[in-house]
Amino acid sequence: MKKNVLIVGAGGVAQVAAHKCAQNNDILGDICIASRKQFKCERIIESIYRKNNIKDKTKKIYSRQLNALDIDATVKLIEETNSQIVINLAQSYVNMSLLEACIKTKVAYMDTAIHEEPDKVCEDPPWYANYEWKRKDRCKENQITAILGVGFDPGVVNAYCAYAVKHLFDKIDTIDIMDVNAGDHGKYFATNFDPEINFREFKKVWTWVNRRWVEEQVHKIRREYDFPVVGKRTIYLNGHDELHSLSKNIDANSIRFWMGFSDHYINVFTVLKNLGLTSEKPIKT
Amino acid sequence: MKKNVLIVGAGGVAQVAAHKCAQNNDILGDICIASRKQFKCERIIESIYRKNNIKDKTKKIYSRQLNALDIDATVKLIEETNSQIVINLAQSYVNMSLLEACIKTKVAYMDTAIHEEPDKVCEDPPWYANYEWKRKDRCKENQITAILGVGFDPGVVNAYCAYAVKHLFDKIDTIDIMDVNAGDHGKYFATNFDPEINFREFKKVWTWVNRRWVEEQVHKIRREYDFPVVGKRTIYLNGHDELHSLSKNIDANSIRFWMGFSDHYINVFTVLKNLGLTSEKPIKT
C-alpha cells in the first residue's frame, strides 16, 4: 500500500477528502494539504482536529503553499513530503501540470474532473484524448497509476455503469445519467460545483447518440422525470466529463448526461449569459 | 452673451449637446470637448463635420484630454480655451470639482444631474444641500451663474412645473413626474442613462409626501398608467434629483417621481442585485 497523501486544493471537496483521509491515516500515513492559499488548508486541518476526525494521532497532518501550475515546485513538494499518492482537488486547469509532476516523481495521481485549458471551453470529443490520455504511455513506462474522474459524476457513475455491464445486462442500448441536486441552503443562487467550471459546461452540449458525437444547444432539450425521494424535476441534456470515457469503454449505442435546473437557475444563468458575464474572456468597458 | 463653450464629457448626452452647440456656434463661439478619453471627443467632432452640423466654419471646434476631478488642470484648461461657459456632461462624481474650477475662473457652470460621492449612495434629502447649494454664496460673490440639472428630468420637468405654478394653477396639491422610456434598440438590456448612476438610484426611495420626506423600498409601490402614444405602462415610485429642488421651490403638498420598468428590467435588476453586482463596493472573491 502506498503511503503519505498530498491533497492539492482546499475547497469543499478537498475538505471532505481530507477528513476522510485523516479518519484512515493509520493506512494512508501523513497527509499534506497544499493550495495557493495556505490559510484555507489550515482551516481544514483545524476542523479535522476540532471534530476529532483523526484516527492515528502519531501521524502528521500539515499544510503547504503551492502553485500547482509550477511543475518544479510540485515535484519538490512531493519529494519533501515523501508523498506516494497525489489527490488533485484543485481547479481543473492544473490537471496536466500536476500529472506531469506525478510522472516525474513516479507517484500515483487522482483527480475528479477533466482537464481545462483556460481559453478553450467545451472542447471537442473525446476531450480526454486532447490531454490526459496523451500521458498514458508515460504513466505505463513509469509504472504509475493515474485514476481520472474519481468523484460522483464522473466517478461513482462510471463504476455503476461498469458494474451493470459486467454483472446485470447482456447488452446496453442507452445510458442516461441524470444528475439532480435537490438540496437547498437557502441562498439566492448556487451552482452544483465550482461556478466557473460549471458555467463553462454551458457553452454547447456534446452528447453520444447512436454511436456518434452530436452537438446540441445548451438548455434546449428538456424532460420531466419523476425521481425517487425528490419527486418530479426538470432535467436538461448537457455535456459532461464521463461521456468521453464511457463512450470509449462501454459498448452502448447512446450515452447521455442530463442535469436538473430549476426555472430560477435557468433565469439567473440566462441573465448572466446575455450580459456577457459567463464568458471566459475578460470584460472590457 | 458669454462666448466659448467647454463641454466636459464625451458620452451620449455630450454628443447631442456638442452637435447643438456647433449648430449655433455663430452665437456660442469656439467649442472645446474635453474628456478622460480624448479619442471619444474626436469621434464626436468627426461626426459634427460629417453631418455638416457646424454653422460658422471659421469658429474652432477641438478636443482636449482632462481629468475633471483635478481642479487645477480644469482651471488651466478653462483659461487656455478662453471658455466662458462650462457644460458638465461627465459622470456626476465631478460636479463639485468642476463647479469649483468655474468659481475660481468666474465662468458659467451647467450640469444635468445631482453630485454623487462614490461611496455615498442615495443621500438623505434635500441632497443638493450637501453639495451644490453650499457653493451658492460663493457663486453670488463671484457673479457667476450655475444652472443645475438642465436636462430632461431634472430640467424640462422643472421648467414645466414652474410654468404651471406661475400661469396655470392657483394652488398645487400633488406633482407626479412619470418617466417612461418606451424606446427599443433591440438589445437585451438597457438602463435609461449611465447604468452605474441609474443603479445607484435603486438603493432606496426618497419621496416628498404631505410636506415631509418619506423613505420607501425600491420597486415596491407600483401603478399602471395609460400614457398617450405609448399606452399602458407599469411605473414604480422612485427617488430622483428634481424632488430635492422642486420641494424647496414649489409650494406643493406632495411631489413624487415614478419611473417605468418592464418586468424584464425588474428581473435582470433583481438578479444582479441579489448576486451583489449592483453594489458600489468592490467585489472580492
Side-chain angles (χ1 to χ4, degrees):
Chain A
M1 176 75 198
K2 287 179 185 290
K3 284 267 182 193
N4 301 338
V5 179
L6 174 62
I7 295 172
V8 181
V13 179
Q15 156 100 7
V16 174
H19 275 255
K20 219 68 198 168
C21 289
Q23 285 171 333
N24 295 283
N25 70 341
D26 53 331
I27 305 165
L28 292 169
D30 296 335
I31 299 159
C32 176
I33 311 175
S35 163
R36 280 178 301 179
K37 293 176 180 167
Q38 197 172 350
F39 75 91
K40 291 179 78 180
C41 309
E42 280 301 320
R43 215 185 268 159
I44 292 173
I45 295 170
E46 186 273 322
S47 81
I48 289 170
Y49 280 108
R50 180 162 31 84
K51 295 187 176 171
N52 198 27
N53 271 342
I54 179 159
K55 191 169 186 181
D56 179 350
K57 292 202 170 83
T58 66
K59 296 286 190 321
K60 276 198 293 182
I61 173 155
Y62 58 112
S63 74
R64 286 288 182 275
Q65 201 275 333
L66 176 71
N67 168 14
L69 289 170
D70 183 339
I71 297 172
D72 291 342
T74 309
V75 164
K76 210 174 144 199
L77 185 62
I78 291 169
E79 286 168 349
E80 277 176 13
T81 58
N82 199 24
S83 299
Q84 294 183 311
I85 306 168
V86 170
I87 310 180
N88 171 14
L89 303 172
Q91 270 198 314
S92 317
Y93 305 120
V94 305
N95 286 21
M96 294 314 289
S97 52
L98 216 42
L99 177 55
E100 187 59 35
C102 288
I103 294 172
K104 278 180 193 283
T105 49
K106 299 181 197 289
V107 305
Y109 170 85
M110 295 161 77
D111 69 31
T112 66
I114 213 160
H115 178 75
E116 298 263 353
E117 276 296 298
D119 60 343
K120 292 181 187 165
V121 179
C122 281
E123 294 206 38
D124 288 356
W127 189 342
Y128 276 117
N130 300 335
Y131 301 102
E132 286 89 342
W133 292 345
K134 287 188 175 166
R135 297 283 179 276
K136 210 171 174 180
D137 289 343
R138 289 187 52 224
C139 286
K140 215 171 184 176
E141 284 163 28
N142 288 281
Q143 291 181 293
I144 71 152
T145 303
I147 316 181
L148 310 176
V150 224
F152 205 96
D153 52 322
V156 174
V157 157
N158 301 55
Y160 282 177
C161 291
Y163 185 88
V165 168
K166 280 189 195 170
H167 304 295
L168 303 178
F169 298 105
D170 296 325
K171 223 178 89 177
I172 304 281
D173 182 70
T174 301
I175 298 173
D176 278 316
I177 303 151
M178 294 185 285
D179 175 10
V180 167
N181 185 341
D184 186 355
H185 52 27
K187 286 187 181 159
Y188 179 72
F189 182 68
T191 50
N192 282 347
F193 50 91
D194 182 324
E196 183 183 348
I197 303 296
N198 197 202
F199 279 173
R200 286 167 70 98
E201 287 187 350
F202 308 146
K203 190 162 182 176
K204 54 188 162 187
V205 169
W206 277 116
T207 190
W208 176 255
V209 178
N210 293 325
R211 295 174 186 273
R212 278 176 50 217
W213 287 104
V214 178
E215 190 185 330
E216 295 284 356
Q217 282 173 46
V218 170
H219 298 151
K220 194 188 139 204
I221 300 170
R222 53 183 275 170
R223 273 190 189 182
E224 281 268 299
Y225 194 84
D226 196 356
F227 288 90
V229 185
V230 300
K232 275 191 187 162
R233 298 278 162 168
T234 308
I235 52 173
Y236 293 79
L237 193 69
N238 208 72
H240 215 244
D241 310 18
E242 57 263 57
L243 299 190
H244 302 270
S245 51
L246 290 176
S247 64
K248 185 176 185 238
N249 295 306
I250 290 185
D251 182 32
N253 289 323
S254 299
I255 306 171
R256 300 176 299 191
F257 184 89
W258 305 79
M259 195 175 264
F261 300 107
S262 65
D263 291 346
H264 173 66
Y265 186 109
I266 298 285
N267 178 46
V268 171
F269 173 77
T270 304
V271 167
L272 294 175
K273 185 185 160 192
N274 282 324
L275 295 179
L277 295 171
T278 62
S279 170
E280 79 282 10
K281 297 190 177 70
I283 292 168
K284 289 173 187 168
T285 55
Chain B
M1 176 75 200
K2 285 178 187 292
K3 284 269 181 194
N4 303 336
V5 179
L6 174 63
I7 295 171
V8 181
V13 178
Q15 156 100 6
V16 174
H19 275 255
K20 219 68 199 166
C21 288
Q23 286 170 330
N24 294 282
N25 70 340
D26 54 329
I27 304 165
L28 293 167
D30 297 335
I31 300 160
C32 176
I33 311 175
S35 163
R36 279 177 302 178
K37 294 176 178 168
Q38 197 172 348
F39 75 91
K40 291 179 78 180
C41 309
E42 280 301 320
R43 214 184 269 160
I44 293 173
I45 294 169
E46 186 273 322
S47 80
I48 290 169
Y49 279 108
R50 180 162 32 83
K51 294 187 177 171
N52 200 26
N53 269 342
I54 179 159
K55 190 171 188 181
D56 180 349
K57 293 203 169 83
T58 67
K59 296 288 193 318
K60 278 197 293 182
I61 173 156
Y62 59 111
S63 74
R64 287 286 182 276
Q65 202 275 333
L66 176 70
N67 168 14
L69 288 171
D70 182 340
I71 297 172
D72 291 341
T74 310
V75 163
K76 211 175 143 197
L77 184 62
I78 291 169
E79 285 168 351
E80 276 176 15
T81 58
N82 200 23
S83 298
Q84 294 183 312
I85 306 167
V86 171
I87 310 179
N88 170 14
L89 303 172
Q91 271 198 313
S92 317
Y93 305 121
V94 305
N95 286 21
M96 295 314 288
S97 52
L98 216 42
L99 177 55
E100 187 61 34
C102 288
I103 293 172
K104 279 181 193 281
T105 50
K106 297 181 197 292
V107 304
Y109 170 85
M110 295 160 78
D111 68 31
T112 67
I114 213 160
H115 178 75
E116 297 262 353
E117 275 296 299
D119 60 343
K120 291 180 187 164
V121 179
C122 282
E123 295 206 37
D124 286 354
W127 191 341
Y128 277 116
N130 300 335
Y131 301 103
E132 287 89 342
W133 292 346
K134 288 188 174 165
R135 297 284 180 276
K136 210 171 175 182
D137 289 343
R138 288 186 52 225
C139 286
K140 213 170 184 177
E141 282 163 29
N142 289 280
Q143 291 182 294
I144 71 151
T145 303
I147 316 182
L148 310 176
V150 226
F152 205 95
D153 53 321
V156 174
V157 156
N158 301 55
Y160 281 176
C161 290
Y163 184 89
V165 168
K166 279 189 194 168
H167 304 295
L168 303 178
F169 299 104
D170 297 324
K171 226 178 88 178
I172 303 281
D173 181 70
T174 301
I175 297 173
D176 277 317
I177 302 152
M178 293 185 287
D179 175 9
V180 167
N181 185 341
D184 187 354
H185 53 27
K187 287 185 181 162
Y188 179 73
F189 182 69
T191 49
N192 282 345
F193 52 91
D194 182 326
E196 183 183 349
I197 303 297
N198 197 203
F199 278 173
R200 286 167 69 98
E201 286 187 353
F202 308 146
K203 190 160 182 177
K204 54 189 163 185
V205 169
W206 277 115
T207 190
W208 176 255
V209 176
N210 293 326
R211 296 175 184 273
R212 278 175 50 217
W213 287 105
V214 178
E215 190 184 330
E216 295 284 359
Q217 283 175 44
V218 170
H219 298 152
K220 194 186 138 205
I221 300 171
R222 55 182 274 170
R223 274 191 189 180
E224 280 268 299
Y225 193 85
D226 195 357
F227 288 91
V229 186
V230 299
K232 274 190 188 164
R233 298 277 160 168
T234 309
I235 52 173
Y236 294 78
L237 193 68
N238 208 72
H240 215 244
D241 310 19
E242 58 263 55
L243 298 189
H244 303 269
S245 52
L246 289 176
S247 64
K248 186 178 184 233
N249 294 306
I250 290 186
D251 182 31
N253 290 323
S254 299
I255 307 173
R256 300 177 299 191
F257 184 89
W258 304 81
M259 196 175 264
F261 299 107
S262 66
D263 290 347
H264 173 67
Y265 186 109
I266 298 285
N267 179 44
V268 171
F269 173 77
T270 304
V271 168
L272 294 175
K273 185 184 161 193
N274 282 326
L275 296 179
L277 295 170
T278 61
S279 170
E280 79 282 9
K281 297 189 178 70
I283 292 170
K284 287 174 191 168
T285 54

